[in-house]
Amino acid sequence: MPTPFRIDTSRIDDISVMVLDGQVDAHTAPRFEEAIQAELTAGHQRIIADCAKLTYISSAGLGVFMSFIEEIRESGGDIKICSVIPKVQATFEILGFQDIFDIVADVPAAVQRFRESPVKEA
Amino acid sequence: MPTPFRIDTSRIDDISVMVLDGQVDAHTAPRFEEAIQAELTAGHQRIIADCAKLTYISSAGLGVFMSFIEEIRESGGDIKICSVIPKVQATFEILGFQDIFDIVADVPAAVQRFRESPVKEA
Amino acid sequence: MTDIERKFLLTVPSSTANLALIREFVVAVGVQAGLGDADVGKLELAVDEACANVMEHAYEHDETKEVVVRATFDREVLHIIVEDTGRGFDPSRVPQEKLDRLIAAKQSGGLGMRLIKALMDEVRYEFIPGQKNELHMLKRIR
Amino acid sequence: MTDIERKFLLTVPSSTANLALIREFVVAVGVQAGLGDADVGKLELAVDEACANVMEHAYEHDETKEVVVRATFDREVLHIIVEDTGRGFDPSRVPQEKLDRLIAAKQSGGLGMRLIKALMDEVRYEFIPGQKNELHMLKRIR
Ligand SMILES: Nc1ncnc2c1ncn2[C@@H]1O[C@H](COP(=O)(O)OP(=O)(O)O)[C@@H](O)[C@H]1O
Ligand SMILES: Nc1ncnc2c1ncn2[C@@H]1O[C@H](COP(=O)(O)OP(=O)(O)O)[C@@H](O)[C@H]1O
């Protein structure tokens, strides 16, 4: 089977909530990249990546997060990552993602975080 | 992964309801066989095979149904098959299972069938 | 999809514990070949039956032996070969009893070959004595 | 489980569409080898990274090429080999930048080899010029 993956994007006020559903690998990462690019092109710099249904991520998907984060933060936005399942969390931790990204419990917490600290403090 | 399969047996009055969950192939069919044998040994001749969660069956599983049906009917019981998903139904139909077995919509219909016609009529 | 032939190969120890993996393999190949859901289901069952037969009859559950499944497809046809190096057999001598006769004879076997023939578009068995046996199965795409 | 070595082999066309199948294959092998959930997850990711590298770097997305994954295990260790016949490379020359350096340099790559080394117990690359390249990965069982 080709890797099962879909993204649904909705909005809470000025925040884009991207629900990642399935597996992000080298096959599906380009679709993830396009979806983020589409938000930026539309002028949305505040993005929540809701990972509750993300069952797998490889470096191709991690690379998408990394390739956009500087540009987004430079323009005053951020990517908040939330609802990560333990398996995916383990992958994030191997690379030290928690030092770079704001990773929070769920969508409400991510919204709250945008209100309190729009960009992750070092 | 070894084939995912489990059976849970409960009782409605004098009827054994066997919930088949997962896939029955040559690897798991022996467990299905043992479960039916256990019912017969305990004196239960009226069996409902609830297939709502049965996602796959190969000839090894079909053979289990076939190997017991005569003995069960000779002792006045039956196996009623119910809640079959279309994929499994397709397999039953290739072999003409519907001519031999009572295949009904759901558990209540299977219970009802035991009341009305304990053994399938030819 | 281009017209180039795609080749897939899976080799596993001859244990029924590997049938689930074999099914995942052929389902993945069938989906990529462009088969519809119903045909993918047929392919899955036919290959499972063929491999279960190799494990049971050709190798008599000797888990040190290997079952080989080859799959190739182009735009028109999906070709599966299940290989074994066991004793071989003559498929024309496998009796095709009706279901009620099998039941009356208290036989549960003999369903596998019948299913394979009903599920696939072409089935051919090549018995190469002392070398290997190949069950070739074809499924046309659309 | 006896002490006999179990051998598994999967060959697929060099397309990222096959990474999901490769992951199902190694997960099935890992479970049979007796690895716990966390280690099965590590194995899955390491082999995916190794195969994605072959598809991208060794074969540059040429789908007529083949990726070969071999797996063997006994009671103690699971051994995976990912083979390609591409140009080969020198893993010691792959820079291991820190994450924030990579981000500052607007580079998203270079994570795959790092993950593989972090996930597996032993990693060894054999470059056999003109013939084939093998990435050997070991995971100890318990
Ligand atoms: N790969 C094989 N090698 C040797 N004999 C086989 C093989 N496949 C099938 N057979 C023979 O054909 C017979 C019928 O097979 P099948 O229709 O699948 O029913 P079953 O496996 O339930 O007996 C088997 O009993 C066996 O004698
Ligand atoms: N199988 C391979 N064949 C050729 N080169 C490879 C192979 N695997 C890795 N490489 C080289 O090593 C580099 C680092 O790989 P990796 O850490 O996976 O990061 P990425 O693939 O994102 O570049 C690649 O950019 C490539 O130059």
Side-chain angles (χ1 to χ4, degrees), chain D residues 3-4 13 33-34 47 70 75 79 87 99 116 138:
Chain D
D3 251 339
I4 297 154
V47 176
R70 296 178 191 281
R75 272 188 213 212
H79 184 179
R87 58 184 169 83
L99 218 55
I116 293 171
L138 282 186

Side-chain angles (χ1 to χ4, degrees), chain B residues 23 25 27 56 59 87, chain C residues 16 23 44 48-49 99 103:
Chain B
Q23 309 181 359
D25 63 7
H27 195 63
Y56 178 81
S59 71
K87 180 181 171 182
Chain C
T16 55
R23 292 196 299 273
E44 179 185 22
D48 178 322
E49 295 293 342
L99 218 56
I103 289 174

Side-chain angles (χ1 to χ4, degrees), chain B residues 1-4 23-28 56-60 62-64 66-67 69-71 74 87 91 94-97 100-101, chain C residues 15-21 23-24 41-42 44-46 48-49 52 99-100 102-104 106-109 111-112 114-115 118-119:
Chain B
M1 284 133 287
T3 312
Q23 309 181 359
V24 183
D25 63 7
H27 195 63
T28 55
Y56 178 81
I57 191 162
S58 74
S59 71
L62 300 168
V64 174
M66 288 168 59
S67 65
I69 192 68
E70 274 244 319
E71 175 188 348
E74 275 162 13
K87 180 181 171 182
T91 306
I94 293 169
L95 293 175
F97 249 52
I100 309 284
F101 291 90
Chain C
S15 157
T16 55
N18 292 318
L19 288 171
L21 172 57
R23 292 196 299 273
E24 287 179 350
K42 289 180 182 181
E44 179 185 22
L45 181 53
D48 178 322
E49 295 293 342
L99 218 56
D100 48 3
L102 280 175
I103 289 174
K106 304 237 188 269
Q107 278 200 301
S108 60
L111 301 179
R114 183 186 320 198
L115 279 172
L119 294 162

Side-chain angles (χ1 to χ4, degrees), chain C residues 50-70:
Chain C
C51 292
N53 275 349
V54 168
M55 293 167 181
E56 187 179 353
H57 303 300
Y59 295 144
E60 291 165 341
H61 300 283
D62 176 351
E63 300 191 9
T64 65
K65 296 287 197 295
E66 285 171 0
V67 181
V68 178
V69 184
R70 296 178 191 281

Side-chain angles (χ1 to χ4, degrees), chain C residues 20-40:
Chain C
L21 172 57
I22 290 170
R23 292 196 299 273
E24 287 179 350
F25 171 77
V26 286
V27 166
V29 174
V31 169
Q32 272 198 50
L35 290 180
D37 281 357
D39 279 348
V40 169

